[in-house]
Amino acid sequence: MKIIARWQSKSEEETRKWGEKLAKDFLRPGDLVIVAGELGVGKTQLVKGIAKGLGIKEEVKSPSFSLVHEYRKEGFTFYHLDFYRLEKEEEVVDLGWEEYREDEKGIVVVEWGDKFPFLFSSPFFLVHLSYREEDTRDIEVYYDSCSG
């Protein structure tokens, strides 16, 4: 896995802008993005930016309770999943994980996906957000291309 981008954010708005840049610069139908980080670090804000960068006009909300939100756009579907409340890999499978992952016209973004690392086969992006200071976040983007 290699790092392909490293950014800092000092606000929710800036985190959304980095998400938008990630979408525009890197993401295509068929891609998987795992978004990891502590509670409250800005994962959902980043995903809102990704959605905007993909041209999604609808308001993007965290699917913490519904687990999945789908947003259709001409040419692809944006799947936003949140595994925070899930405890076992079987719950992810029961959610229909394989169908989402196999959709070649889908872009799948998973908050808290790092809870189940063995479910993700390459290629995929991993975005890790962490606290640097009270008002500053580090955002690191990695890409796992199958080659180890």
Side-chain angles (χ1 to χ4, degrees):
M1 190 173 308
K2 79 175 188 181
I3 191 159
I4 59 172
R6 184 176 284 139
W7 304 309
Q8 281 190 354
S9 173
K10 294 187 182 245
S11 68
E12 289 183 353
E13 180 182 349
E14 198 171 357
T15 300
R16 288 190 299 270
K17 287 185 179 183
W18 286 125
E20 193 173 342
K21 179 173 178 50
L22 172 67
K24 289 179 178 178
D25 290 356
F26 297 107
L27 300 185
R28 304 289 174 264
D31 283 341
L32 167 63
V33 182
I34 301 162
V35 184
E38 294 178 52
L39 191 64
V41 76
K43 293 180 294 297
T44 301
Q45 296 305 317
L46 185 89
V47 176
K48 287 180 179 188
I50 291 172
K52 183 176 181 185
L54 294 172
I56 304 296
K57 304 285 187 216
E58 300 166 66
E59 182 182 0
V60 172
K61 296 181 181 178
S62 176
S64 291
F65 292 99
S66 61
L67 304 178
V68 181
H69 288 163
E70 295 182 17
Y71 304 89
R72 300 203 186 279
K73 180 98 173 115
E74 189 172 326
F76 70 93
T77 301
F78 175 62
Y79 300 105
H80 180 195
L81 294 86
D82 189 325
F83 292 172
Y84 178 73
R85 295 178 352 136
L86 302 181
E87 305 272 333
K88 301 175 187 163
E89 288 183 14
E90 294 81 32
E91 294 174 299
V92 177
V93 172
D94 291 346
L95 192 63
W97 170 249
E98 289 181 21
E99 293 172 28
Y100 294 115
R101 188 63 183 113
E102 292 172 359
D103 183 352
E104 293 178 3
K105 293 185 178 181
I107 296 176
V108 180
V109 177
V110 184
E111 293 187 52
W112 296 97
D114 54 318
K115 288 176 66 175
F116 306 104
F118 298 108
L119 286 176
F120 305 112
S121 57
S122 300
F124 63 85
F125 294 90
L126 170 65
V127 182
H128 188 266
L129 291 89
S130 58
Y131 293 101
R132 172 176 287 264
E133 298 167 359
E134 185 176 322
D135 65 343
T136 305
R137 304 325 192 236
D138 287 328
I139 303 169
E140 296 177 325
V141 182
Y142 299 86
Y143 183 68
D144 188 325
S145 64
C146 301
S147 60

